[in-house]
Amino acid sequence: MRIFLDTAVIEEIKKGAAMGVVHGVTTNPTLVARAGHKDYKAVVREIAAILPEAAPISVEVVSETVADMVADGKRFYAWAPDNVIVKLPTNAEGLQATRELAKDGIQVNMTLCFSANQALLAAHAGVTYISPFLGRLDDIGHDGMQVVKDIIEIYDMYGFATEVIAASIRHPLHCIAAAKAGAHIATIPFKILEQMLKHPLTDKGIEQFAEDWAKSGATNT
Ligand code: G3P
């Protein structure tokens, strides 16, 4: 399972990329607003310069008609053609816009997916990525991870190439469950990347080794 960062905070993307464990970034209007950015194009280009070459960066449209979604998608794609994946909502307009964008070779991450049926239709429309929001399903008392599992089972059964991005991840256990379910990607907030890495026994072990080494008087030069 590859890791995308679900953030528009440049410092977080720099830190994640420096660790060599970030394969892409997903943004949305909320994340861009929360990071205080005013110029989406500049942010996307800055992110592209930080990530490994051709790393996918999802850029979300807010327009509502097919024509506007296609026009926005084409404009976003031109910002960084090696990286930009257009994020469209899982609705009729989004499906139609996916088909239109595909004619120009522009890839889509279909977002705000909350059911396996939606994911099946998105795959038929030819999306590159589907993003089931498992945390938001959990929030309303549904089993978000079950939806992820159902999508993966259906895609495997019928040989769809669409990759599943486990999204709306809320805690490190979601990452383990998504990986075990066979999600191709998890897109996670930076805080969760830190939580995945952190273990008190690792920290304690490092301290102990340093202390013992200092006491030993040994050299390693
Ligand atoms: O990638 C989807 C994500 O940004 C939504 O997360 O926490 O707002 O449900 P959340």
Side-chain angles (χ1 to χ4, degrees):
M1 183 175 76
R2 309 196 296 284
I3 304 291
F4 288 1
L5 278 183
D6 194 31
T7 183
V9 177
I10 297 298
E11 278 314 305
E12 293 181 345
I13 296 166
K14 280 185 181 164
K15 283 185 200 165
M19 286 185 232
V21 295
V22 172
H23 305 97
V25 163
T26 51
T27 66
N28 65 36
T30 304
L31 293 172
V32 172
R34 199 182 289 157
H37 299 302
K38 299 289 177 226
D39 182 344
Y40 207 177
K41 174 165 71 172
V43 177
V44 168
R45 287 187 168 163
E46 196 172 353
I47 295 172
I50 297 164
L51 294 178
E53 206 180 336
I57 303 169
S58 290
V59 183
E60 184 151 353
V61 305
V62 287
S63 43
E64 292 176 10
T65 66
V66 175
D68 288 347
M69 284 178 181
V70 172
D72 286 353
K74 286 181 180 177
R75 199 175 61 255
F76 296 169
Y77 174 74
W79 294 348
D82 289 340
N83 308 88
V84 169
I85 308 293
V86 177
K87 223 172 169 192
L88 295 173
T90 309
N91 60 14
E93 290 78 10
L95 295 181
Q96 204 178 319
T98 296
R99 285 247 177 253
E100 293 300 317
L101 290 170
K103 290 176 190 163
D104 287 336
I106 300 173
Q107 297 184 337
V108 166
N109 171 6
M110 189 141 273
T111 188
L112 291 166
C113 170
F114 294 97
S115 77
N117 274 330
Q118 289 180 317
L120 177 60
L121 296 174
H124 277 301
V127 302
T128 302
Y129 304 102
I130 186 74
S131 292
F133 274 29
L134 63 103
R136 289 193 196 183
L137 280 165
D138 289 356
D139 289 345
I140 59 161
H142 289 243
D143 185 349
M145 197 54 73
Q146 188 56 51
V147 172
V148 172
K149 287 179 187 166
D150 288 346
I151 296 169
I152 291 164
E153 187 180 337
I154 292 166
Y155 281 5
D156 283 350
M157 185 175 292
Y158 295 102
F160 285 113
T162 300
E163 291 199 304
V164 178
I165 303 181
S168 185
I169 297 261
R170 296 286 162 74
H171 49 73
L173 288 177
H174 270 156
C175 297
I176 294 172
K180 286 173 75 177
H184 302 88
I185 297 145
T187 189
I188 61 175
F190 184 73
K191 185 181 121 202
I192 291 180
L193 179 66
E194 291 181 312
Q195 290 170 336
M196 286 171 76
L197 186 60
K198 192 89 179 154
H199 198 291
L201 292 179
T202 304
D203 295 343
K204 196 172 161 216
I206 291 169
E207 266 176 44
Q208 188 68 56
F209 284 148
E211 206 180 301
D212 290 347
W213 186 255
K215 273 193 256 165
S216 74
T219 61
N220 60 5
T221 50

PDB file of all heavy atoms in Angstrom, residues 23-49:
ATOM      1  N   HIS A  23       4.348   8.933  -1.590  1.00  0.00           N
ATOM      2  CA  HIS A  23       4.282   8.645  -3.028  1.00  0.00           C
ATOM      3  C   HIS A  23       3.386   9.620  -3.785  1.00  0.00           C
ATOM      4  O   HIS A  23       3.293   9.544  -5.013  1.00  0.00           O
ATOM      5  CB  HIS A  23       3.760   7.220  -3.233  1.00  0.00           C
ATOM      6  CG  HIS A  23       4.554   6.182  -2.503  1.00  0.00           C
ATOM      7  ND1 HIS A  23       4.187   5.676  -1.281  1.00  0.00           N
ATOM      8  CD2 HIS A  23       5.729   5.598  -2.815  1.00  0.00           C
ATOM      9  CE1 HIS A  23       5.091   4.799  -0.878  1.00  0.00           C
ATOM     10  NE2 HIS A  23       6.037   4.734  -1.788  1.00  0.00           N
ATOM     11  N   GLY A  24       2.690  10.481  -3.077  1.00  0.00           N
ATOM     12  CA  GLY A  24       1.797  11.422  -3.738  1.00  0.00           C
ATOM     13  C   GLY A  24       1.093  12.276  -2.699  1.00  0.00           C
ATOM     14  O   GLY A  24       1.280  12.082  -1.486  1.00  0.00           O
ATOM     15  N   VAL A  25       0.297  13.203  -3.179  1.00  0.00           N
ATOM     16  CA  VAL A  25      -0.425  14.121  -2.281  1.00  0.00           C
ATOM     17  C   VAL A  25      -1.853  14.266  -2.792  1.00  0.00           C
ATOM     18  O   VAL A  25      -2.089  14.308  -4.004  1.00  0.00           O
ATOM     19  CB  VAL A  25       0.284  15.498  -2.241  1.00  0.00           C
ATOM     20  CG1 VAL A  25      -0.624  16.582  -1.671  1.00  0.00           C
ATOM     21  CG2 VAL A  25       1.575  15.404  -1.416  1.00  0.00           C
ATOM     22  N   THR A  26      -2.791  14.312  -1.856  1.00  0.00           N
ATOM     23  CA  THR A  26      -4.170  14.655  -2.224  1.00  0.00           C
ATOM     24  C   THR A  26      -4.516  15.973  -1.542  1.00  0.00           C
ATOM     25  O   THR A  26      -4.182  16.192  -0.379  1.00  0.00           O
ATOM     26  CB  THR A  26      -5.173  13.563  -1.802  1.00  0.00           C
ATOM     27  OG1 THR A  26      -4.983  13.235  -0.424  1.00  0.00           O
ATOM     28  CG2 THR A  26      -5.005  12.303  -2.639  1.00  0.00           C
ATOM     29  N   THR A  27      -5.160  16.841  -2.313  1.00  0.00           N
ATOM     30  CA  THR A  27      -5.631  18.103  -1.731  1.00  0.00           C
ATOM     31  C   THR A  27      -7.129  18.190  -1.965  1.00  0.00           C
ATOM     32  O   THR A  27      -7.690  17.443  -2.774  1.00  0.00           O
ATOM     33  CB  THR A  27      -4.956  19.312  -2.402  1.00  0.00           C
ATOM     34  OG1 THR A  27      -5.368  19.383  -3.773  1.00  0.00           O
ATOM     35  CG2 THR A  27      -3.448  19.222  -2.346  1.00  0.00           C
ATOM     36  N   ASN A  28      -7.755  19.066  -1.247  1.00  0.00           N
ATOM     37  CA  ASN A  28      -9.162  19.403  -1.523  1.00  0.00           C
ATOM     38  C   ASN A  28      -9.376  20.843  -1.088  1.00  0.00           C
ATOM     39  O   ASN A  28      -8.486  21.450  -0.456  1.00  0.00           O
ATOM     40  CB  ASN A  28     -10.123  18.393  -0.843  1.00  0.00           C
ATOM     41  CG  ASN A  28     -10.063  18.436   0.675  1.00  0.00           C
ATOM     42  OD1 ASN A  28      -9.895  19.486   1.276  1.00  0.00           O
ATOM     43  ND2 ASN A  28     -10.207  17.277   1.305  1.00  0.00           N
ATOM     44  N   PRO A  29     -10.524  21.426  -1.415  1.00  0.00           N
ATOM     45  CA  PRO A  29     -10.729  22.851  -1.099  1.00  0.00           C
ATOM     46  C   PRO A  29     -10.592  23.146   0.396  1.00  0.00           C
ATOM     47  O   PRO A  29     -10.043  24.186   0.779  1.00  0.00           O
ATOM     48  CB  PRO A  29     -12.162  23.107  -1.588  1.00  0.00           C
ATOM     49  CG  PRO A  29     -12.352  22.113  -2.687  1.00  0.00           C
ATOM     50  CD  PRO A  29     -11.627  20.884  -2.248  1.00  0.00           C
ATOM     51  N   THR A  30     -11.046  22.221   1.233  1.00  0.00           N
ATOM     52  CA  THR A  30     -10.945  22.431   2.684  1.00  0.00           C
ATOM     53  C   THR A  30      -9.489  22.475   3.121  1.00  0.00           C
ATOM     54  O   THR A  30      -9.074  23.345   3.905  1.00  0.00           O
ATOM     55  CB  THR A  30     -11.681  21.286   3.435  1.00  0.00           C
ATOM     56  OG1 THR A  30     -13.023  21.225   2.966  1.00  0.00           O
ATOM     57  CG2 THR A  30     -11.656  21.499   4.935  1.00  0.00           C
ATOM     58  N   LEU A  31      -8.688  21.547   2.595  1.00  0.00           N
ATOM     59  CA  LEU A  31      -7.276  21.480   2.993  1.00  0.00           C
ATOM     60  C   LEU A  31      -6.502  22.709   2.508  1.00  0.00           C
ATOM     61  O   LEU A  31      -5.638  23.232   3.221  1.00  0.00           O
ATOM     62  CB  LEU A  31      -6.636  20.200   2.435  1.00  0.00           C
ATOM     63  CG  LEU A  31      -7.168  18.883   3.021  1.00  0.00           C
ATOM     64  CD1 LEU A  31      -6.604  17.687   2.249  1.00  0.00           C
ATOM     65  CD2 LEU A  31      -6.841  18.756   4.505  1.00  0.00           C
ATOM     66  N   VAL A  32      -6.828  23.177   1.305  1.00  0.00           N
ATOM     67  CA  VAL A  32      -6.147  24.361   0.764  1.00  0.00           C
ATOM     68  C   VAL A  32      -6.512  25.589   1.605  1.00  0.00           C
ATOM     69  O   VAL A  32      -5.648  26.390   1.978  1.00  0.00           O
ATOM     70  CB  VAL A  32      -6.510  24.576  -0.723  1.00  0.00           C
ATOM     71  CG1 VAL A  32      -5.973  25.899  -1.247  1.00  0.00           C
ATOM     72  CG2 VAL A  32      -5.964  23.414  -1.571  1.00  0.00           C
ATOM     73  N   ALA A  33      -7.808  25.689   1.946  1.00  0.00           N
ATOM     74  CA  ALA A  33      -8.259  26.820   2.768  1.00  0.00           C
ATOM     75  C   ALA A  33      -7.621  26.762   4.156  1.00  0.00           C
ATOM     76  O   ALA A  33      -7.132  27.768   4.679  1.00  0.00           O
ATOM     77  CB  ALA A  33      -9.781  26.794   2.885  1.00  0.00           C
ATOM     78  N   ARG A  34      -7.595  25.539   4.730  1.00  0.00           N
ATOM     79  CA  ARG A  34      -7.041  25.378   6.083  1.00  0.00           C
ATOM     80  C   ARG A  34      -5.555  25.750   6.128  1.00  0.00           C
ATOM     81  O   ARG A  34      -5.065  26.279   7.112  1.00  0.00           O
ATOM     82  CB  ARG A  34      -7.233  23.924   6.520  1.00  0.00           C
ATOM     83  CG  ARG A  34      -7.136  23.713   8.016  1.00  0.00           C
ATOM     84  CD  ARG A  34      -7.283  22.247   8.362  1.00  0.00           C
ATOM     85  NE  ARG A  34      -8.623  21.723   8.175  1.00  0.00           N
ATOM     86  CZ  ARG A  34      -8.912  20.429   7.978  1.00  0.00           C
ATOM     87  NH1 ARG A  34      -7.943  19.530   7.920  1.00  0.00           N
ATOM     88  NH2 ARG A  34     -10.159  20.038   7.842  1.00  0.00           N
ATOM     89  N   ALA A  35      -4.845  25.481   5.031  1.00  0.00           N
ATOM     90  CA  ALA A  35      -3.411  25.800   4.988  1.00  0.00           C
ATOM     91  C   ALA A  35      -3.186  27.292   4.717  1.00  0.00           C
ATOM     92  O   ALA A  35      -2.043  27.767   4.732  1.00  0.00           O
ATOM     93  CB  ALA A  35      -2.728  24.958   3.911  1.00  0.00           C
ATOM     94  N   GLY A  36      -4.255  28.022   4.439  1.00  0.00           N
ATOM     95  CA  GLY A  36      -4.148  29.471   4.242  1.00  0.00           C
ATOM     96  C   GLY A  36      -3.662  29.876   2.859  1.00  0.00           C
ATOM     97  O   GLY A  36      -3.246  31.019   2.654  1.00  0.00           O
ATOM     98  N   HIS A  37      -3.714  28.968   1.891  1.00  0.00           N
ATOM     99  CA  HIS A  37      -3.246  29.307   0.546  1.00  0.00           C
ATOM    100  C   HIS A  37      -4.288  30.127  -0.212  1.00  0.00           C
ATOM    101  O   HIS A  37      -5.488  29.932  -0.045  1.00  0.00           O
ATOM    102  CB  HIS A  37      -2.951  28.033  -0.255  1.00  0.00           C
ATOM    103  CG  HIS A  37      -1.879  27.181   0.338  1.00  0.00           C
ATOM    104  ND1 HIS A  37      -0.603  27.638   0.580  1.00  0.00           N
ATOM    105  CD2 HIS A  37      -1.887  25.882   0.743  1.00  0.00           C
ATOM    106  CE1 HIS A  37       0.123  26.660   1.103  1.00  0.00           C
ATOM    107  NE2 HIS A  37      -0.637  25.595   1.223  1.00  0.00           N
ATOM    108  N   LYS A  38      -3.794  31.004  -1.068  1.00  0.00           N
ATOM    109  CA  LYS A  38      -4.705  31.812  -1.891  1.00  0.00           C
ATOM    110  C   LYS A  38      -4.579  31.462  -3.371  1.00  0.00           C
ATOM    111  O   LYS A  38      -5.459  31.768  -4.160  1.00  0.00           O
ATOM    112  CB  LYS A  38      -4.390  33.315  -1.715  1.00  0.00           C
ATOM    113  CG  LYS A  38      -4.548  33.811  -0.295  1.00  0.00           C
ATOM    114  CD  LYS A  38      -6.024  33.867   0.120  1.00  0.00           C
ATOM    115  CE  LYS A  38      -6.151  34.299   1.576  1.00  0.00           C
ATOM    116  NZ  LYS A  38      -7.080  33.458   2.323  1.00  0.00           N
ATOM    117  N   ASP A  39      -3.468  30.851  -3.743  1.00  0.00           N
ATOM    118  CA  ASP A  39      -3.200  30.590  -5.157  1.00  0.00           C
ATOM    119  C   ASP A  39      -2.989  29.078  -5.336  1.00  0.00           C
ATOM    120  O   ASP A  39      -1.896  28.547  -5.089  1.00  0.00           O
ATOM    121  CB  ASP A  39      -1.937  31.384  -5.556  1.00  0.00           C
ATOM    122  CG  ASP A  39      -1.585  31.232  -7.034  1.00  0.00           C
ATOM    123  OD1 ASP A  39      -2.108  30.299  -7.686  1.00  0.00           O
ATOM    124  OD2 ASP A  39      -0.778  32.036  -7.514  1.00  0.00           O
ATOM    125  N   TYR A  40      -4.045  28.386  -5.788  1.00  0.00           N
ATOM    126  CA  TYR A  40      -4.007  26.921  -5.887  1.00  0.00           C
ATOM    127  C   TYR A  40      -2.905  26.471  -6.856  1.00  0.00           C
ATOM    128  O   TYR A  40      -2.176  25.520  -6.597  1.00  0.00           O
ATOM    129  CB  TYR A  40      -5.387  26.422  -6.340  1.00  0.00           C
ATOM    130  CG  TYR A  40      -5.796  25.013  -5.934  1.00  0.00           C
ATOM    131  CD1 TYR A  40      -7.068  24.519  -6.250  1.00  0.00           C
ATOM    132  CD2 TYR A  40      -4.945  24.146  -5.239  1.00  0.00           C
ATOM    133  CE1 TYR A  40      -7.479  23.231  -5.899  1.00  0.00           C
ATOM    134  CE2 TYR A  40      -5.350  22.864  -4.877  1.00  0.00           C
ATOM    135  CZ  TYR A  40      -6.612  22.400  -5.213  1.00  0.00           C
ATOM    136  OH  TYR A  40      -7.024  21.131  -4.871  1.00  0.00           O
ATOM    137  N   LYS A  41      -2.791  27.202  -7.975  1.00  0.00           N
ATOM    138  CA  LYS A  41      -1.779  26.824  -8.974  1.00  0.00           C
ATOM    139  C   LYS A  41      -0.366  26.851  -8.373  1.00  0.00           C
ATOM    140  O   LYS A  41       0.409  25.905  -8.540  1.00  0.00           O
ATOM    141  CB  LYS A  41      -1.854  27.767 -10.181  1.00  0.00           C
ATOM    142  CG  LYS A  41      -0.740  27.507 -11.190  1.00  0.00           C
ATOM    143  CD  LYS A  41      -0.991  28.145 -12.530  1.00  0.00           C
ATOM    144  CE  LYS A  41      -0.853  29.644 -12.501  1.00  0.00           C
ATOM    145  NZ  LYS A  41      -0.913  30.230 -13.859  1.00  0.00           N
ATOM    146  N   ALA A  42      -0.080  27.926  -7.637  1.00  0.00           N
ATOM    147  CA  ALA A  42       1.260  28.057  -7.052  1.00  0.00           C
ATOM    148  C   ALA A  42       1.522  26.925  -6.057  1.00  0.00           C
ATOM    149  O   ALA A  42       2.625  26.366  -6.006  1.00  0.00           O
ATOM    150  CB  ALA A  42       1.389  29.417  -6.363  1.00  0.00           C
ATOM    151  N   VAL A  43       0.489  26.576  -5.299  1.00  0.00           N
ATOM    152  CA  VAL A  43       0.648  25.505  -4.290  1.00  0.00           C
ATOM    153  C   VAL A  43       0.938  24.176  -4.982  1.00  0.00           C
ATOM    154  O   VAL A  43       1.843  23.436  -4.577  1.00  0.00           O
ATOM    155  CB  VAL A  43      -0.652  25.351  -3.459  1.00  0.00           C
ATOM    156  CG1 VAL A  43      -0.524  24.204  -2.482  1.00  0.00           C
ATOM    157  CG2 VAL A  43      -0.982  26.624  -2.746  1.00  0.00           C
ATOM    158  N   VAL A  44       0.169  23.888  -6.026  1.00  0.00           N
ATOM    159  CA  VAL A  44       0.336  22.609  -6.728  1.00  0.00           C
ATOM    160  C   VAL A  44       1.739  22.526  -7.331  1.00  0.00           C
ATOM    161  O   VAL A  44       2.418  21.496  -7.249  1.00  0.00           O
ATOM    162  CB  VAL A  44      -0.762  22.450  -7.805  1.00  0.00           C
ATOM    163  CG1 VAL A  44      -0.458  21.292  -8.739  1.00  0.00           C
ATOM    164  CG2 VAL A  44      -2.124  22.255  -7.132  1.00  0.00           C
ATOM    165  N   ARG A  45       2.197  23.621  -7.895  1.00  0.00           N
ATOM    166  CA  ARG A  45       3.538  23.612  -8.491  1.00  0.00           C
ATOM    167  C   ARG A  45       4.615  23.463  -7.420  1.00  0.00           C
ATOM    168  O   ARG A  45       5.624  22.787  -7.632  1.00  0.00           O
ATOM    169  CB  ARG A  45       3.759  24.882  -9.307  1.00  0.00           C
ATOM    170  CG  ARG A  45       2.957  24.825 -10.596  1.00  0.00           C
ATOM    171  CD  ARG A  45       3.269  25.976 -11.490  1.00  0.00           C
ATOM    172  NE  ARG A  45       2.710  25.770 -12.819  1.00  0.00           N
ATOM    173  CZ  ARG A  45       2.539  26.716 -13.717  1.00  0.00           C
ATOM    174  NH1 ARG A  45       2.898  27.955 -13.454  1.00  0.00           N
ATOM    175  NH2 ARG A  45       2.029  26.448 -14.898  1.00  0.00           N
ATOM    176  N   GLU A  46       4.381  24.067  -6.267  1.00  0.00           N
ATOM    177  CA  GLU A  46       5.356  23.937  -5.181  1.00  0.00           C
ATOM    178  C   GLU A  46       5.399  22.484  -4.695  1.00  0.00           C
ATOM    179  O   GLU A  46       6.471  21.934  -4.455  1.00  0.00           O
ATOM    180  CB  GLU A  46       4.968  24.892  -4.034  1.00  0.00           C
ATOM    181  CG  GLU A  46       6.097  25.116  -3.060  1.00  0.00           C
ATOM    182  CD  GLU A  46       5.801  26.215  -2.034  1.00  0.00           C
ATOM    183  OE1 GLU A  46       4.764  26.909  -2.156  1.00  0.00           O
ATOM    184  OE2 GLU A  46       6.613  26.340  -1.099  1.00  0.00           O
ATOM    185  N   ILE A  47       4.233  21.884  -4.574  1.00  0.00           N
ATOM    186  CA  ILE A  47       4.181  20.480  -4.128  1.00  0.00           C
ATOM    187  C   ILE A  47       4.885  19.584  -5.157  1.00  0.00           C
ATOM    188  O   ILE A  47       5.665  18.697  -4.802  1.00  0.00           O
ATOM    189  CB  ILE A  47       2.715  20.022  -3.921  1.00  0.00           C
ATOM    190  CG1 ILE A  47       2.061  20.802  -2.784  1.00  0.00           C
ATOM    191  CG2 ILE A  47       2.654  18.516  -3.638  1.00  0.00           C
ATOM    192  CD1 ILE A  47       0.547  20.562  -2.629  1.00  0.00           C
ATOM    193  N   ALA A  48       4.649  19.849  -6.439  1.00  0.00           N
ATOM    194  CA  ALA A  48       5.266  19.032  -7.496  1.00  0.00           C
ATOM    195  C   ALA A  48       6.792  19.105  -7.425  1.00  0.00           C
ATOM    196  O   ALA A  48       7.485  18.116  -7.686  1.00  0.00           O
ATOM    197  CB  ALA A  48       4.778  19.493  -8.860  1.00  0.00           C
ATOM    198  N   ALA A  49       7.300  20.270  -7.051  1.00  0.00           N
ATOM    199  CA  ALA A  49       8.755  20.440  -6.983  1.00  0.00           C
ATOM    200  C   ALA A  49       9.355  19.684  -5.792  1.00  0.00           C
ATOM    201  O   ALA A  49      10.541  19.341  -5.799  1.00  0.00           O
ATOM    202  CB  ALA A  49       9.095  21.922  -6.888  1.00  0.00           C
TER     203      ALA A  49
END
